[in-house]
Amino acid sequence: MLIRRAEGRDAGRLTRLVRSSRAYEGRYASMVEGYRVGPDYIEAHRVFVAVEEIPGDEGPGERVLGFYSLMVEPAELDLMFVSDQAQGYGIGRRLVEHMRGEARRAGIDRVRVVSHPPAEGFYRSVGARPVGTVPANPPAVMWDRPELEFPVAPVAPVVPVVPVADSGAGK
């Protein structure tokens, strides 16, 4: 598996992943009906996609396993999806680790996520802490959503090693 920066050409596949997610079936279906991850969105945000290379007659291709979008100002995990077929293999955990690294490189110390209610347990399992609830906002969102934060550890400073002169003692 490879996690790479998304490109405009990925837009259709990311949109299909969002719209086909079983996590948004039933009462949640209205959230993704008509949702679009367009090239303009990919260009404006830090969108990263997890892909698996697949062999093909015309050269290798790739299958999208999942993706996330990190907004920097304010710091927020805007989107995160793992394909239904790829769930349970650690893809989401790897995407969160990658997101934390991107946040760290951007100088961010915490990342907010307003969770889809069924995803709250996953976010907690990968280190997000609950900080509140975002109330429903009909007609766009008809239910309250958990608000969580990912702490992002700062990059450890590099401490130079200073060689100690050998005094010759003990010889």
Side-chain angles (χ1 to χ4, degrees):
M1 181 189 81
L2 167 73
I3 298 176
R4 64 166 174 77
R5 187 79 184 245
E7 301 170 358
R9 67 183 172 89
D10 296 314
R13 294 187 294 174
L14 301 186
T15 296
R16 281 190 295 281
L17 196 157
V18 169
R19 289 184 185 176
S20 67
S21 174
R22 285 194 309 251
Y24 284 87
E25 290 179 332
R27 69 179 261 193
Y28 299 116
S30 64
M31 281 295 296
V32 295
E33 286 174 352
Y35 196 88
R36 181 177 169 269
V37 180
D40 53 337
Y41 181 89
I42 292 170
E43 180 69 27
H45 303 292
R46 294 177 187 217
V47 181
F48 288 86
V49 60
V51 295
E52 173 183 55
E53 193 172 282
I54 52 173
D57 293 339
E58 299 174 22
E62 56 183 29
R63 178 170 66 118
V64 171
L65 303 173
F67 77 100
Y68 76 87
S69 173
L70 174 64
M71 299 176 74
V72 174
E73 190 57 46
E76 183 169 351
L77 178 61
D78 187 42
L79 297 171
M80 183 167 167
F81 283 84
V82 173
S83 76
D84 293 336
Q85 298 78 18
Q87 290 187 13
Y89 294 99
I91 307 298
R93 183 171 299 278
R94 298 243 339 250
L95 286 169
V96 167
E97 288 170 13
H98 191 275
M99 179 273 303
R100 282 180 147 155
E102 281 298 307
R104 188 175 304 110
R105 282 185 283 286
I108 297 168
D109 64 350
R110 66 181 55 92
V111 176
R112 174 183 188 245
V113 60
V114 177
S115 177
H116 177 48
E120 180 181 10
F122 165 75
Y123 287 126
R124 284 178 174 226
S125 77
V126 292
R129 300 179 193 145
V131 294
T133 301
V134 175
N137 183 21
V141 181
M142 303 299 289
W143 50 87
D144 294 346
R145 293 168 295 157
E147 180 180 11
L148 304 104
E149 269 187 358
F150 283 103
V152 177
V155 176
V158 176
V159 178
V161 176
V162 180
V164 178
D166 186 3
S167 67
K171 290 188 178 180

